[in-house]
Amino acid sequence: MTIRPHPAPWHVLLGLLHDERGPLLTAVSVAVAAALFELLPYWLLYQSIVLVLSGTQVADGLTRLAGWMAVVLVAKYGLYSIAYYLSHRAAYQVLANLRRDLARRLVWAPLTWLQGYSSGKLKKIVMQDVERLEQFIAHHSVECMAALAGPLFVALLLIWLDWRLALAALAVVPLAALAQGLFMRGMSERIGDFDSAVGELSGATVEYVRNIPVMKAFRQEAGSFRRMRSVLDRYQNLIAAVIRRTVPGWSVFTVLLGANIFFILPTGAWLMSHGALSLPDLILAVMLGTGMLKPLFKVARLSSEIREILGSMRRIAPFLAWPPPVPRSPVALPATPAVGFNAVSFAYDDTPVLRDLSFELPPGKLTAMVGPSGAGKSTVAHLLGGLARPQQGTIRLGGISLDILDESQRASLISVATQESFLFRGTLMENLQLACPEADEATVRQAARVAQADAFISALPEGYGTRVGERGGRLSGGERQRIAIARALLADTPVLVLDEATAFADSLTERAFYEALHEAYPHKTLLVIAHRLYTIEQADQVLVMESGRLVDAGRHGELLARCGLYQRLWHRQSVGESWTIGKEELVDAGIS
């Protein structure tokens, strides 16, 4: 699967708004009408001044104008209510659609690509970057359109009174724009640095919160968490730099936009002295002209915030570029298919992990894979589980390449359980049924018994209805692993991969698990990334890995007789099983 080129941020934003363009266009159109109704009270006040100065039927005229004023205010309220209702409804629909789309794309994206993002950065993209659209769509779309329409209507009215008044009112706009541009130079880079710092701070915060038990165990305070302290310092320095740069520019911009009274009043007085303008016209020009540019503050704020919004779109774009998996027709496979790796190579970025790897898992047999840390064993599990794709070579299931199977069929044929078991917030039953939602209680209990989990679950006060927190925090590591194994068994796939999935279990529990597994699922093809003697000894085949290559393959006794690496691993494991605390020198005994 290859990622498509990332679309430009503006294209991403417009694409997100496309489905809601009807309500949004209606909202901004209604906002323009509301902006016109913003000016009508000033026109009515102008009419009142004319009426008072004329001295004829003042009381009746003012009463009538007051009635129209009430109508205008009610109409303005109604128009803004309609505009904001439509824009908010569109905004939250866009947010809901985008979050659903991101959730799907996260499933489609390869795990190796996702691992380039920390949990804090992913949280920022899915939550904060998406949420930032709400202000833009729900508020800025309406307010900025009204803010642009208002000054335009005032300028047209001033032109109608006298074009020189309009020029006087707009004279400060070039100066304000120039000042804003001078002070905001280079802010795009600073905004990028700021967004990067926010992502790092979010990631460090998530890491810090997750490690609070460790911090408490060693009586450490927040200051001892160096990464958190470093990121906070960087964030604070960036905030200070942005404030130093933007506050003076914004202050000058604000003062200049409110300074057009110094141009309007002298111009209006001069025109009035030459008989080109009446007193009511001058009063109307001053009332409207002095406030005509204030709505542009909202437009200026949007111009700075749009950088952040486009930055959010730039971060979201790579996720939206992942295409959905191509639906394929189910391929007929034997009930117990063989699994084969044929010259498979794989690398993380530029670091090779698997090199020209070839082996076969006999159908219905137990294959153990051993090797030192970094040999590529977990990568084999990732490739079989569909979490990554080989750069070269082919993985076959029953003689059929995994590449021609769609994700649903692959998931129905191969399940993977790792030592990094993840449980969702909910009951144990809900976590177990994740692999097979239609499984009844008897089926769930059967899988739990094989995984050696039924006993401890039944001993809980609420049994299978016991609620667990996020990541299964209420359970021990071994208990979480047994739940994950039971979940994998419930998937009822013909091929099961256990990537050190029993690492936290004691030897007796692991032995009981494999005996129950063989009895309950005698025809299942098993690949066990092993670290204990019992698993290795009982395997029908042992694969020995080193540096991404297959060093040797055979049964336990055969490998002990001919494979030097296996002999060393076996020796270390044997020493590890028999060492005791004492004066003797301890030997590194792990097979990882």
Side-chain angles (χ1 to χ4, degrees), residues 158-339:
L158 292 179
I159 291 173
W160 175 72
L161 291 174
D162 192 291
W163 62 271
R164 288 164 289 189
L165 280 175
L167 287 181
L170 297 173
V172 297
V173 172
L175 296 176
L178 178 62
Q180 182 79 346
L182 289 175
F183 280 98
M184 295 300 288
R185 282 187 306 175
M187 282 305 297
S188 297
E189 292 78 7
R190 291 186 180 271
I191 291 296
D193 293 339
F194 174 76
D195 287 332
S196 174
V198 170
E200 289 184 20
L201 180 59
S202 181
T205 303
V206 170
E207 183 179 354
Y208 177 74
V209 170
R210 286 180 176 173
N211 285 283
I212 282 178
V214 178
M215 304 293 286
K216 287 183 176 293
F218 291 98
R219 301 177 64 82
Q220 298 293 307
E221 298 178 354
S224 301
F225 190 45
R226 293 181 180 177
R227 183 189 172 207
M228 184 78 161
R229 186 170 53 189
S230 173
V231 173
L232 279 171
D233 289 343
R234 181 183 177 223
Y235 177 80
Q236 184 177 1
N237 292 336
L238 279 171
I239 287 290
V242 169
I243 290 174
R244 286 195 300 269
R245 187 67 178 268
T246 57
V247 168
W250 182 255
S251 300
V252 171
F253 182 77
T254 302
V255 170
L256 286 175
L257 282 188
N260 60 356
I261 183 66
F262 293 103
F263 295 91
I264 296 174
L265 194 56
T267 303
W270 181 80
L271 290 172
M272 186 176 171
S273 66
H274 286 75
L277 201 68
S278 66
L279 178 60
D281 291 344
L282 176 59
I283 294 174
L284 178 62
V286 170
M287 284 192 303
L288 290 177
T290 53
M292 70 176 291
L293 300 180
K294 289 181 180 179
L296 295 181
F297 291 142
K298 295 179 180 179
V299 179
R301 280 199 296 270
L302 174 62
S303 68
S304 61
E305 291 179 13
I306 198 67
R307 296 188 182 94
E308 300 179 10
I309 294 169
L310 293 178
S312 296
M313 296 300 99
R314 192 174 292 109
R315 288 185 291 274
I316 289 173
F319 293 85
L320 299 182
W322 284 109
V326 179
R328 297 184 177 95
S329 301
V331 178
L333 291 169
T336 310
V339 177

Side-chain angles (χ1 to χ4, degrees), residues 128-150:
Q128 293 170 249
D129 286 340
V130 173
E131 199 67 32
R132 192 169 281 164
L133 285 173
E134 187 271 334
Q135 282 287 326
F136 172 72
I137 300 172
H139 296 273
H140 294 324
S141 61
V142 171
E143 294 171 3
C144 288
M145 185 56 66
L148 290 171

Side-chain angles (χ1 to χ4, degrees), residues 428-440:
L428 288 172
M429 180 64 75
E430 290 169 344
N431 272 278
L432 288 165
Q433 289 179 322
L434 181 67
C436 184
E438 65 275 10
D440 57 24

Side-chain angles (χ1 to χ4, degrees), residues 379-393:
T379 301
V380 170
H382 286 168
L383 292 173
L384 282 173
L387 303 179
R389 299 268 181 172
Q391 279 95 23
Q392 294 179 359

